[in-house]
């Protein structure tokens, strides 16, 4: 305290590990965002496909399905299976989760596409409880 000025405070040095950690978090967030985008695009493509729309339309219009699952019948999010098309031919085997006001179930749609037209060999609603409902009958 003899009138000399105080030395300036020392700057804290930033550890390089903080930057490494931030970089890793950014990379992980980017990868997760990319995966979420790919899943969204795949599900959107399946939801816009004709077999998905045909199966869901028949299930919603069927009185047996409405009685078993309860109205309104809505599709769930996680669709499984595949739809493969090339030019005017293809095949599908998808399972769509369904939910109604009474219970849940699933809709399986199996078919082939020939000359641009889908023909279904199976369109079956399986409630959580109760007998399966064949939508092709």
């Amino acid at each position: 305290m003899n009138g000399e000025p105080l030395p300036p405070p020392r700057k804290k040095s930033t550890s390089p590990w903080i930057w490494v950690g931030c970089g890793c978090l950014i990379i992980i967030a980017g990868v997760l965002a990319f995966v979420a985008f790919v899943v969204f695009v795949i599900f959107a493509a399946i939801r816009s496909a004709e077999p998905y729309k045909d199966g869901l339309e028949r299930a919603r219009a069927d009185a047996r399905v409405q009685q078993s699952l309860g109205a309104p019948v809505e599709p769930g999010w996680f669709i499984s299976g595949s739809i493969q098309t090339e030019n005017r031919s293809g095949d599908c085997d998808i399972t769509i989760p369904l939910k109604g006001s009474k219970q849940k179930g699933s809709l399986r749609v199996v078919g082939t596409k020939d000359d641009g037209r889908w023909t279904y060999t199976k369109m079956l609603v399986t409630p959580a409880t109760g007998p399966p409902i064949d939508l092709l009958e």
Side-chain angles (χ1 to χ4, degrees):
M1 299 255 203
N2 52 9
E4 293 179 22
L6 294 173
R10 284 180 137 195
K11 288 186 178 179
K12 289 186 177 181
S13 64
T14 306
S15 170
W17 292 109
I18 291 177
W19 295 110
V20 170
C22 288
C24 287
L25 287 176
I26 290 170
I27 290 171
I28 290 170
V31 168
L32 290 176
F34 177 74
V35 169
F37 175 74
V38 169
V39 168
F40 175 78
V41 167
I42 290 170
F43 282 148
I46 291 175
R47 288 176 189 270
S48 67
E50 196 172 335
Y52 176 90
K53 290 178 181 179
D54 290 346
L56 192 56
E57 183 179 318
R58 284 192 195 189
R60 285 178 166 165
D62 193 288
R64 300 169 296 167
V65 173
Q66 288 193 10
Q67 183 179 5
S68 177
L69 299 183
V73 175
E74 296 296 330
W77 178 250
F78 291 105
I79 304 158
S80 61
S82 66
I83 299 174
Q84 299 174 355
T85 58
E86 185 175 336
N87 298 326
R88 297 178 53 83
S89 64
D91 56 39
C92 73
D93 186 350
I94 58 173
T95 301
I96 305 163
L98 298 176
K99 55 187 170 188
S101 60
K102 294 180 184 177
Q103 67 174 327
K104 294 180 180 181
S106 64
L107 166 63
R108 182 159 181 223
V109 179
V110 178
T112 57
K113 184 179 184 181
D114 188 35
D115 199 27
R117 181 181 169 99
W118 283 99
T119 304
Y120 302 108
T121 55
K122 182 181 277 190
M123 204 173 280
L124 189 70
V125 173
T126 305
T129 60
I133 302 164
D134 188 349
L135 299 178
L136 296 178
E137 288 182 347

